[in-house]
PDB file of all heavy atoms in Angstrom:
ATOM      1  N   GLU A 234    -113.597 -69.107 -74.949  1.00  0.00           N
ATOM      2  CA  GLU A 234    -113.043 -69.036 -73.601  1.00  0.00           C
ATOM      3  C   GLU A 234    -112.106 -67.846 -73.449  1.00  0.00           C
ATOM      4  O   GLU A 234    -112.143 -67.124 -72.449  1.00  0.00           O
ATOM      5  CB  GLU A 234    -112.302 -70.331 -73.271  1.00  0.00           C
ATOM      6  CG  GLU A 234    -113.207 -71.542 -73.119  1.00  0.00           C
ATOM      7  CD  GLU A 234    -112.418 -72.831 -72.980  1.00  0.00           C
ATOM      8  OE1 GLU A 234    -111.201 -72.807 -73.234  1.00  0.00           O
ATOM      9  OE2 GLU A 234    -113.019 -73.860 -72.618  1.00  0.00           O
ATOM     10  N   MET A 283    -108.198 -71.945 -68.614  1.00  0.00           N
ATOM     11  CA  MET A 283    -109.023 -72.860 -69.404  1.00  0.00           C
ATOM     12  C   MET A 283    -108.619 -72.816 -70.886  1.00  0.00           C
ATOM     13  O   MET A 283    -108.601 -73.852 -71.561  1.00  0.00           O
ATOM     14  CB  MET A 283    -110.501 -72.470 -69.255  1.00  0.00           C
ATOM     15  CG  MET A 283    -111.030 -72.547 -67.827  1.00  0.00           C
ATOM     16  SD  MET A 283    -110.877 -74.195 -67.118  1.00  0.00           S
ATOM     17  CE  MET A 283    -111.958 -75.121 -68.172  1.00  0.00           C
ATOM     18  N   GLN A 286    -105.623 -74.917 -71.236  1.00  0.00           N
ATOM     19  CA  GLN A 286    -105.929 -76.356 -71.265  1.00  0.00           C
ATOM     20  C   GLN A 286    -106.394 -76.788 -72.654  1.00  0.00           C
ATOM     21  O   GLN A 286    -106.096 -77.909 -73.097  1.00  0.00           O
ATOM     22  CB  GLN A 286    -107.017 -76.678 -70.217  1.00  0.00           C
ATOM     23  CG  GLN A 286    -106.657 -76.287 -68.797  1.00  0.00           C
ATOM     24  CD  GLN A 286    -105.287 -76.745 -68.376  1.00  0.00           C
ATOM     25  OE1 GLN A 286    -104.919 -77.911 -68.568  1.00  0.00           O
ATOM     26  NE2 GLN A 286    -104.501 -75.830 -67.824  1.00  0.00           N
ATOM     27  N   SER A 287    -107.095 -75.907 -73.355  1.00  0.00           N
ATOM     28  CA  SER A 287    -107.464 -76.217 -74.744  1.00  0.00           C
ATOM     29  C   SER A 287    -106.231 -76.285 -75.638  1.00  0.00           C
ATOM     30  O   SER A 287    -106.136 -77.139 -76.522  1.00  0.00           O
ATOM     31  CB  SER A 287    -108.434 -75.150 -75.272  1.00  0.00           C
ATOM     32  OG  SER A 287    -109.613 -75.104 -74.498  1.00  0.00           O
ATOM     33  N   ALA A 290    -104.562 -79.580 -74.998  1.00  0.00           N
ATOM     34  CA  ALA A 290    -105.286 -80.686 -75.630  1.00  0.00           C
ATOM     35  C   ALA A 290    -104.952 -80.785 -77.115  1.00  0.00           C
ATOM     36  O   ALA A 290    -104.769 -81.880 -77.655  1.00  0.00           O
ATOM     37  CB  ALA A 290    -106.793 -80.496 -75.430  1.00  0.00           C
ATOM     38  N   HIS A 295    -105.284 -85.003 -77.998  1.00  0.00           N
ATOM     39  CA  HIS A 295    -106.443 -85.709 -77.448  1.00  0.00           C
ATOM     40  C   HIS A 295    -107.506 -84.675 -77.098  1.00  0.00           C
ATOM     41  O   HIS A 295    -107.202 -83.490 -76.885  1.00  0.00           O
ATOM     42  CB  HIS A 295    -106.057 -86.527 -76.207  1.00  0.00           C
ATOM     43  CG  HIS A 295    -105.422 -85.694 -75.119  1.00  0.00           C
ATOM     44  ND1 HIS A 295    -106.112 -84.784 -74.352  1.00  0.00           N
ATOM     45  CD2 HIS A 295    -104.143 -85.657 -74.673  1.00  0.00           C
ATOM     46  CE1 HIS A 295    -105.311 -84.220 -73.483  1.00  0.00           C
ATOM     47  NE2 HIS A 295    -104.098 -84.714 -73.657  1.00  0.00           N
ATOM     48  N   PRO A 296    -108.770 -85.068 -77.033  1.00  0.00           N
ATOM     49  CA  PRO A 296    -109.834 -84.101 -76.734  1.00  0.00           C
ATOM     50  C   PRO A 296    -109.717 -83.561 -75.312  1.00  0.00           C
ATOM     51  O   PRO A 296    -109.225 -84.233 -74.405  1.00  0.00           O
ATOM     52  CB  PRO A 296    -111.123 -84.918 -76.926  1.00  0.00           C
ATOM     53  CG  PRO A 296    -110.707 -86.342 -76.782  1.00  0.00           C
ATOM     54  CD  PRO A 296    -109.299 -86.422 -77.298  1.00  0.00           C
ATOM     55  N   LYS A 297    -110.172 -82.352 -75.137  1.00  0.00           N
ATOM     56  CA  LYS A 297    -110.111 -81.713 -73.829  1.00  0.00           C
ATOM     57  C   LYS A 297    -111.148 -82.319 -72.895  1.00  0.00           C
ATOM     58  O   LYS A 297    -112.312 -82.483 -73.248  1.00  0.00           O
ATOM     59  CB  LYS A 297    -110.359 -80.212 -73.990  1.00  0.00           C
ATOM     60  CG  LYS A 297    -110.328 -79.434 -72.681  1.00  0.00           C
ATOM     61  CD  LYS A 297    -110.634 -77.968 -72.928  1.00  0.00           C
ATOM     62  CE  LYS A 297    -110.688 -77.200 -71.612  1.00  0.00           C
ATOM     63  NZ  LYS A 297    -111.027 -75.776 -71.843  1.00  0.00           N
ATOM     64  N   ARG A 298    -110.692 -82.661 -71.693  1.00  0.00           N
ATOM     65  CA  ARG A 298    -111.605 -83.214 -70.691  1.00  0.00           C
ATOM     66  C   ARG A 298    -112.406 -82.101 -70.029  1.00  0.00           C
ATOM     67  O   ARG A 298    -111.866 -81.030 -69.743  1.00  0.00           O
ATOM     68  CB  ARG A 298    -110.826 -83.991 -69.632  1.00  0.00           C
ATOM     69  CG  ARG A 298    -110.176 -85.263 -70.139  1.00  0.00           C
ATOM     70  CD  ARG A 298    -109.550 -86.024 -68.992  1.00  0.00           C
ATOM     71  NE  ARG A 298    -108.541 -85.212 -68.321  1.00  0.00           N
ATOM     72  CZ  ARG A 298    -107.960 -85.558 -67.184  1.00  0.00           C
ATOM     73  NH1 ARG A 298    -108.304 -86.672 -66.585  1.00  0.00           N
ATOM     74  NH2 ARG A 298    -107.042 -84.772 -66.645  1.00  0.00           N
ATOM     75  N   ARG A 299    -113.650 -82.379 -69.782  1.00  0.00           N
ATOM     76  CA  ARG A 299    -114.504 -81.405 -69.097  1.00  0.00           C
ATOM     77  C   ARG A 299    -114.110 -81.350 -67.624  1.00  0.00           C
ATOM     78  O   ARG A 299    -114.180 -82.366 -66.932  1.00  0.00           O
ATOM     79  CB  ARG A 299    -115.975 -81.796 -69.252  1.00  0.00           C
ATOM     80  CG  ARG A 299    -116.931 -80.761 -68.685  1.00  0.00           C
ATOM     81  CD  ARG A 299    -118.365 -81.201 -68.887  1.00  0.00           C
ATOM     82  NE  ARG A 299    -119.296 -80.216 -68.391  1.00  0.00           N
ATOM     83  CZ  ARG A 299    -119.725 -79.182 -69.089  1.00  0.00           C
ATOM     84  NH1 ARG A 299    -119.292 -79.015 -70.315  1.00  0.00           N
ATOM     85  NH2 ARG A 299    -120.582 -78.325 -68.573  1.00  0.00           N
ATOM     86  N   PRO A 300    -113.674 -80.196 -67.131  1.00  0.00           N
ATOM     87  CA  PRO A 300    -113.215 -80.139 -65.731  1.00  0.00           C
ATOM     88  C   PRO A 300    -114.366 -80.256 -64.750  1.00  0.00           C
ATOM     89  O   PRO A 300    -115.479 -79.776 -64.996  1.00  0.00           O
ATOM     90  CB  PRO A 300    -112.539 -78.762 -65.649  1.00  0.00           C
ATOM     91  CG  PRO A 300    -113.209 -77.958 -66.707  1.00  0.00           C
ATOM     92  CD  PRO A 300    -113.546 -78.912 -67.808  1.00  0.00           C
ATOM     93  N   THR A 301    -114.076 -80.911 -63.642  1.00  0.00           N
ATOM     94  CA  THR A 301    -115.062 -81.028 -62.577  1.00  0.00           C
ATOM     95  C   THR A 301    -115.118 -79.728 -61.780  1.00  0.00           C
ATOM     96  O   THR A 301    -114.295 -78.822 -61.947  1.00  0.00           O
ATOM     97  CB  THR A 301    -114.702 -82.193 -61.644  1.00  0.00           C
ATOM     98  OG1 THR A 301    -113.406 -81.944 -61.065  1.00  0.00           O
ATOM     99  CG2 THR A 301    -114.648 -83.500 -62.421  1.00  0.00           C
ATOM    100  N   ARG A 304    -111.893 -79.232 -59.789  1.00  0.00           N
ATOM    101  CA  ARG A 304    -110.778 -78.732 -60.604  1.00  0.00           C
ATOM    102  C   ARG A 304    -110.963 -77.251 -60.923  1.00  0.00           C
ATOM    103  O   ARG A 304    -109.994 -76.482 -60.899  1.00  0.00           O
ATOM    104  CB  ARG A 304    -110.693 -79.522 -61.907  1.00  0.00           C
ATOM    105  CG  ARG A 304    -110.053 -80.900 -61.764  1.00  0.00           C
ATOM    106  CD  ARG A 304    -109.884 -81.536 -63.126  1.00  0.00           C
ATOM    107  NE  ARG A 304    -109.050 -80.702 -63.974  1.00  0.00           N
ATOM    108  CZ  ARG A 304    -108.974 -80.821 -65.297  1.00  0.00           C
ATOM    109  NH1 ARG A 304    -109.697 -81.738 -65.928  1.00  0.00           N
ATOM    110  NH2 ARG A 304    -108.202 -80.035 -66.005  1.00  0.00           N
ATOM    111  N   ARG A 305    -112.166 -76.843 -61.229  1.00  0.00           N
ATOM    112  CA  ARG A 305    -112.400 -75.426 -61.502  1.00  0.00           C
ATOM    113  C   ARG A 305    -112.061 -74.572 -60.287  1.00  0.00           C
ATOM    114  O   ARG A 305    -111.448 -73.499 -60.406  1.00  0.00           O
ATOM    115  CB  ARG A 305    -113.857 -75.198 -61.906  1.00  0.00           C
ATOM    116  CG  ARG A 305    -114.242 -75.823 -63.245  1.00  0.00           C
ATOM    117  CD  ARG A 305    -115.704 -75.602 -63.539  1.00  0.00           C
ATOM    118  NE  ARG A 305    -116.133 -76.254 -64.761  1.00  0.00           N
ATOM    119  CZ  ARG A 305    -116.074 -75.722 -65.966  1.00  0.00           C
ATOM    120  NH1 ARG A 305    -115.572 -74.498 -66.105  1.00  0.00           N
ATOM    121  NH2 ARG A 305    -116.478 -76.379 -67.042  1.00  0.00           N
ATOM    122  N   ASP A 348    -103.673 -76.974 -63.851  1.00  0.00           N
ATOM    123  CA  ASP A 348    -104.882 -77.562 -64.436  1.00  0.00           C
ATOM    124  C   ASP A 348    -105.877 -78.053 -63.396  1.00  0.00           C
ATOM    125  O   ASP A 348    -106.904 -78.628 -63.748  1.00  0.00           O
ATOM    126  CB  ASP A 348    -104.495 -78.707 -65.365  1.00  0.00           C
ATOM    127  CG  ASP A 348    -103.616 -79.745 -64.661  1.00  0.00           C
ATOM    128  OD1 ASP A 348    -103.297 -79.569 -63.459  1.00  0.00           O
ATOM    129  OD2 ASP A 348    -103.228 -80.714 -65.323  1.00  0.00           O
ATOM    130  N   GLY A 349    -105.586 -77.880 -62.113  1.00  0.00           N
ATOM    131  CA  GLY A 349    -106.525 -78.269 -61.065  1.00  0.00           C
ATOM    132  C   GLY A 349    -106.431 -79.703 -60.630  1.00  0.00           C
ATOM    133  O   GLY A 349    -107.094 -80.106 -59.673  1.00  0.00           O
ATOM    134  N   GLU A 350    -105.620 -80.535 -61.305  1.00  0.00           N
ATOM    135  CA  GLU A 350    -105.478 -81.925 -60.876  1.00  0.00           C
ATOM    136  C   GLU A 350    -104.773 -82.010 -59.522  1.00  0.00           C
ATOM    137  O   GLU A 350    -105.136 -82.833 -58.678  1.00  0.00           O
ATOM    138  CB  GLU A 350    -104.679 -82.704 -61.925  1.00  0.00           C
ATOM    139  CG  GLU A 350    -105.385 -82.878 -63.256  1.00  0.00           C
ATOM    140  CD  GLU A 350    -106.541 -83.866 -63.179  1.00  0.00           C
ATOM    141  OE1 GLU A 350    -106.658 -84.579 -62.156  1.00  0.00           O
ATOM    142  OE2 GLU A 350    -107.331 -83.906 -64.126  1.00  0.00           O
TER     143      GLU A 350
END
Side-chain angles (χ1 to χ4, degrees):
E234 291 172 348
M283 299 301 296
Q286 303 312 312
S287 300
H295 57 71
K297 180 182 177 182
R298 292 186 301 171
R299 186 179 182 86
T301 60
R304 282 186 59 196
R305 293 178 184 272
D348 54 359
E350 293 288 348

